[in-house]
Amino acid sequence: MSDARKQFAWARLDRRGCPYPGVLGVGGIMSDTTGRPSSGGSGLFWSRPRVLNALSLMTFAVLVFAQYRWWHDHGRPFSWVLLPATPLLAFVPSGIIVKSLRKRWTAGWAEENGFVYRRVSDWPVPAWDFPPFTIGRARRFRVRDTMQGTVGGYPASFFHLTWLHNNRINVSTHYRNVFSITLPAALPRLTVGVTLDGSIGDRVEFESADFNDQFSVYSSNPAFAHAVLTPRTIGKLVDLAGQHGGAVTLTKFEIVGDLLVGITTLGNRPHEIGGVFEAMRVIADGIPRFVWNDYGTPAQRTHA
């Protein structure tokens, strides 16, 4: 990305530090990160992935044994509701550990990579026209743990989104980690990742079988999708998927106007945050110049 194009991307930010359209965020000096591996924040032994996986397996084994003993002695399980939920309940202890450390990990990554971090922020919920922001039964959206900086020269932001989902039977809590980088100009909509939004278009296939197996691309204009995702970009994304696993393959990347947005249930650990931002940098850097000329348009920004 040329210096002139990077400066143009910076100019698209609101004077008060707006990290995405319609939202006034925090200001501050923003340093640059190139997606290098991050080591901060995940050094506790009992928070390492292998330890948490082992804890989940042990919890699952204990729950199965307890169900078996109860059924053997009483002729029935604890509850017909809890029985099929046992595999999910096995992740509760490890989930509690991750939740308790998430803020520390996010703050540590921000400090290490020159981002401005705020645990409590006044950022409004962005008015984006795609899930989870358009879920009809979602209530009480909250934006927490925000940070701003740059990734590969692009203005970047991150926040932790929570909401309550009312399905008329019970109310459950949900969350997503939301990443965004500002592009030099607005482009047609394109999604890389699993989505249930049928308004985007059909799935687009690429020549790389490895890429098609790990990523799902949706667009109403297949020619545009192939222009954006060049063979070089596809190769780099496949390599990143091998390095970061689900942090990249389970994230939905979406071009919305002049933003590239990443939404995922992962992105809690430092290496996951870095992996998602690096994938976004790869996508943005890989967009050829003719795409900006043929498809790019000035972004229409509205402010809250």
Side-chain angles (χ1 to χ4, degrees):
M1 188 180 187
S2 66
D3 291 340
R5 194 171 289 278
K6 290 179 181 178
Q7 292 174 1
F8 178 64
W10 267 110
R12 302 209 62 80
L13 278 176
D14 182 78
R15 287 179 301 172
R16 294 171 60 185
C18 177
Y20 37 77
V23 179
L24 299 179
V26 296
I29 298 174
M30 300 181 187
S31 300
D32 182 70
T33 178
T34 57
R36 63 185 182 275
S38 175
S39 59
S42 60
L44 297 175
F45 172 78
W46 43 271
S47 68
R48 296 175 182 175
R50 290 185 179 180
V51 176
L52 294 180
N53 291 338
L55 177 61
S56 298
L57 288 174
M58 291 175 58
T59 305
F60 177 75
V62 169
L63 291 174
V64 169
F65 179 76
Q67 289 274 9
Y68 167 77
R69 291 301 305 173
W70 184 274
W71 201 327
H72 181 271
D73 295 340
H74 298 84
R76 63 183 185 279
F78 290 140
S79 166
W80 290 106
V81 176
L82 294 178
L83 182 62
T86 296
L88 296 178
L89 293 174
F91 292 97
V92 170
S94 59
I96 293 174
I97 293 175
V98 171
K99 184 176 181 179
S100 66
L101 294 175
R102 179 184 57 79
K103 295 178 184 295
R104 181 189 301 183
W105 286 336
T106 304
W109 189 93
E111 181 179 3
E112 184 174 330
N113 291 275
F115 272 54
V116 178
Y117 170 79
R118 296 289 185 273
R119 176 170 293 187
V120 179
S121 173
D122 60 352
W123 292 5
V125 178
W128 291 334
D129 188 23
F130 55 86
F133 304 96
T134 55
I135 297 176
R137 296 189 180 277
R139 301 290 185 272
R140 297 182 62 184
F141 279 104
R142 296 289 186 272
V143 172
R144 298 182 172 91
D145 301 302
T146 65
M147 60 179 174
Q148 276 184 276
T150 64
V151 173
Y154 303 92
S157 68
F158 167 96
F159 62 90
H160 184 74
L161 179 73
T162 63
W163 72 92
L164 298 179
H165 186 81
N166 182 3
N167 61 7
R168 296 183 180 179
I169 299 176
N170 63 356
V171 177
S172 54
T173 302
H174 298 263
Y175 79 89
R176 295 292 186 274
N177 290 315
V178 182
F179 303 72
S180 71
I181 64 174
T182 304
L183 300 174
L187 294 174
R189 193 173 179 191
L190 171 71
T191 293
V192 180
V194 178
T195 180
L196 300 178
D197 188 353
S199 66
I200 303 173
D202 297 327
R203 180 171 181 178
V204 181
E205 297 288 336
F206 292 80
E207 293 184 359
S208 171
D210 289 339
F211 180 79
N212 291 330
D213 289 343
Q214 298 180 78
F215 298 91
S216 301
V217 178
Y218 294 88
S219 174
S220 60
N221 186 343
F224 170 70
H226 281 278
V228 169
L229 298 171
T230 65
R232 184 176 182 180
T233 298
I234 287 174
K236 289 183 177 181
L237 289 176
V238 171
D239 291 341
L240 279 175
Q243 298 171 19
H244 297 278
V248 173
T249 58
L250 297 180
T251 297
K252 183 182 74 169
F253 302 100
E254 189 153 357
I255 295 178
V256 185
D258 67 339
L259 290 178
L260 176 59
V261 179
I263 301 177
T264 180
T265 56
L266 299 177
N268 295 305
R269 297 174 175 279
H271 73 275
E272 293 173 345
I273 297 174
V276 173
F277 269 137
E278 176 66 1
M280 297 173 75
R281 184 196 65 79
V282 165
I283 294 173
D285 277 353
I287 298 176
R289 180 176 300 177
F290 79 87
V291 171
W292 301 112
N293 295 332
D294 294 350
Y295 296 95
T297 58
Q300 298 296 321
R301 286 184 176 271
T302 58
H303 301 287

